[in-house]
Amino acid sequence: MSSSVTPTTDPRTQAPLPPSRPPTLAIVVPCYNEQEVLPETTRRLCQLLHDLVQCGQIDEASRVWFIDDGSRDRTWQLIDLAAGQPDSRVCGIKLSRNRGHQIALLAGLLTAQGEILVSVDADLQDDLNVIPKMLDKFSRGHDIVYGVRSSRDTDTFFKRLSAEGYYRLLQRLGVEVVFNHADYRLMSRRAVEALREFPESNLFLRGLIPQLGFPTTTVTYERAERYAGESKYPLGKMLALAWQGITSFSALPLRAITALGVTVSVLSVGMGVWALFIRLFSEHAVPGWASIVIPLFLISGVQLLSLGIIGEYLAKIFIETKRRPLFFIERLVRGDAPGERG
Ligand code: UDP
Ligand code: MG
């Protein structure tokens, strides 16, 4: 475990730090039907907190924050049980229903307390050994530390191809994302407070967080197989998230309509000239079926496609203007290990 020199001033704000107090860490873990993996995740994360507190890297008020995203299995009961143990470092947040990984994660980030927030999946795919390295980077003045996968060997061929292709597509479309980074990252308190200012309903945190700015760095890690249980991100949800990433951040599809419109118009004019030429100078001037039907089909196809894309953006504006609250916390429990303040 790497130990760092505890700074005497906050490297970000230069404000003097209280002499003997290391920062408080909150590990934020969204959970949806994770009863198979949760006991092991709790054990490992609590052990990690214990070790980091022992070596003075974090304050003893540090906690693991589990967010139950409306699970239908025993996830909440397990969280509640863990938080109720004596000297527990577990806190639990129960959302009133399933809202999806991105919203559950945001709920955790905006509710958990601490100067440092690390988000991690419940299934132990993210290597917890890099958390001390992230803390090290934080103590050197970085507000955001992205966990980046060193390889995609544990993915299926299809997943690897589609994920890497998708990241490239996003970059081409001008969406700023960190290559091979999912949602395993460290954020400072001020970065989270900046994130709070975004009133978006169409959440794609991977695209949003690079918009915050602040000193940023990466750490690489090997992503393991899921420890137990099944993926809670089936193909449908994955495609929805991918589509969200494109349409929430890039106006390029809208601009492409203009380009398509120009091309089709030029083609139509060309076709019109050709039809007129046949009509005026040709012997067999009976207007052909094809010259009517083909452009008709072509143009209505393009119009439909264009309307569809415009509709997608309109839908987003529609949803954003409602300003609906994203989540409600049904219950909140806290472990009573020493160090709890206020
Ligand atoms: N998750 C969630 N709400 C959902 C779906 C997933 O909070 O509606 C959580 C899940 O419990 C896990 C994380 O999001 O902690 C990532 O999900 P998963 O590991 O199943 O995704 P994969 O690694 O297969 O892409
Ligand atoms: Mg996973």
Side-chain angles (χ1 to χ4, degrees):
M1 189 162 296
S2 66
S3 65
S4 61
V5 183
T6 315
T8 51
T9 55
D10 186 322
R12 283 152 285 271
T13 57
Q14 299 307 319
L17 285 174
S20 59
R21 201 178 81 63
T24 305
L25 170 66
I27 302 182
V28 176
V29 194
C31 308
Y32 178 58
N33 294 344
E34 297 286 11
Q35 64 179 16
E36 288 93 356
V37 75
L38 212 59
E40 182 62 14
T41 309
T42 311
R43 196 186 64 73
R44 289 203 205 169
L45 288 173
C46 288
Q47 184 64 46
L48 178 75
L49 283 190
H50 175 80
D51 294 347
L52 290 168
V53 169
Q54 289 301 306
C55 73
Q57 246 187 310
I58 56 169
D59 190 76
E60 31 173 30
S62 301
R63 295 286 180 269
V64 181
W65 294 76
F66 288 112
I67 300 93
D68 174 26
D69 185 18
S71 298
R72 281 186 289 264
D73 65 359
R74 296 189 61 248
T75 297
W76 176 251
Q77 282 89 318
L78 292 173
I79 296 171
D80 199 17
L81 198 73
Q85 298 296 313
D87 267 356
S88 170
R89 288 203 165 91
V90 171
C91 297
I93 298 169
K94 180 173 168 26
L95 298 190
S96 56
R97 55 157 296 164
N98 180 248
R99 299 293 285 120
H101 170 237
Q102 296 287 292
I103 290 180
L105 180 52
L106 185 73
L109 290 173
L110 299 188
T111 312
Q113 291 157 8
E115 281 102 52
I116 308 175
L117 296 100
V118 172
S119 51
V120 56
D121 285 354
D123 57 2
L124 296 171
Q125 281 195 284
D126 303 324
D127 179 7
L128 301 179
N129 292 322
V130 303
I131 292 183
K133 289 187 202 146
M134 289 178 164
L135 293 174
D136 222 38
K137 304 253 181 183
F138 170 83
S139 70
R140 285 167 210 275
H142 292 102
D143 282 85
I144 301 172
V145 186
Y146 296 106
V148 175
R149 300 177 62 166
S150 52
S151 75
R152 284 190 166 266
D153 293 346
T154 52
D155 281 357
T156 60
F157 176 72
F158 171 74
K159 176 98 190 252
R160 189 167 9 172
L161 202 73
S162 57
E164 294 193 342
Y166 177 64
Y167 278 107
R168 294 225 167 78
L169 174 69
L170 279 181
Q171 281 167 346
R172 285 256 167 85
L173 289 172
V175 186
E176 210 183 309
V177 280
V178 180
F179 199 68
N180 275 343
H181 157 74
D183 282 300
Y184 187 24
R185 70 178 88 77
L186 174 149
M187 293 177 80
S188 67
R189 169 54 54 195
R190 71 170 181 178
V192 170
E193 290 311 310
L195 182 65
R196 201 189 290 280
E197 304 286 310
F198 284 76
E200 318 227 344
S201 309
N202 292 295
L203 269 189
F204 184 66
L205 290 170
R206 265 164 253 187
L208 212 51
I209 287 167
Q211 302 291 314
L212 301 176
F214 297 120
T216 296
T217 188
T218 58
V219 291
T220 48
Y221 73 101
E222 291 277 336
R223 193 161 156 98
E225 304 273 359
R226 174 176 257 278
Y227 181 80
E230 298 202 330
S231 172
K232 309 299 176 302
Y233 254 105
L235 189 65
K237 271 194 193 176
M238 193 90 79
L239 290 176
L241 184 69
W243 185 236
Q244 184 86 289
I246 294 173
T247 52
S248 294
F249 285 89
S250 174
L252 220 68
L254 267 181
R255 301 210 178 99
I257 295 176
T258 320
L260 202 65
V262 170
T263 315
V264 171
S265 309
V266 169
L267 285 178
S268 314
V269 169
M271 210 124 165
V273 169
W274 173 70
L276 203 67
F277 182 84
I278 299 280
R279 177 80 183 84
L280 294 178
F281 304 108
S282 163
E283 289 296 293
H284 20 260
V286 182
W289 176 85
S291 60
I292 296 170
V293 171
I294 292 171
L296 204 73
F297 270 89
L298 188 71
I299 289 168
S300 29
V302 168
Q303 275 179 339
L304 275 180
L305 175 72
S306 311
L307 280 177
I309 298 180
I310 292 171
E312 174 65 23
Y313 282 88
L314 272 181
K316 283 205 154 33
I317 295 169
F318 172 68
I319 293 164
E320 294 288 348
T321 49
K322 287 186 197 243
R323 289 277 173 271
R324 283 182 175 164
L326 285 187
F327 57 84
F328 299 106
I329 293 171
E330 193 178 297
R331 284 187 61 196
L332 196 151
V333 291
R334 287 168 195 276
D336 69 345
E340 185 57 52
R341 293 189 200 90

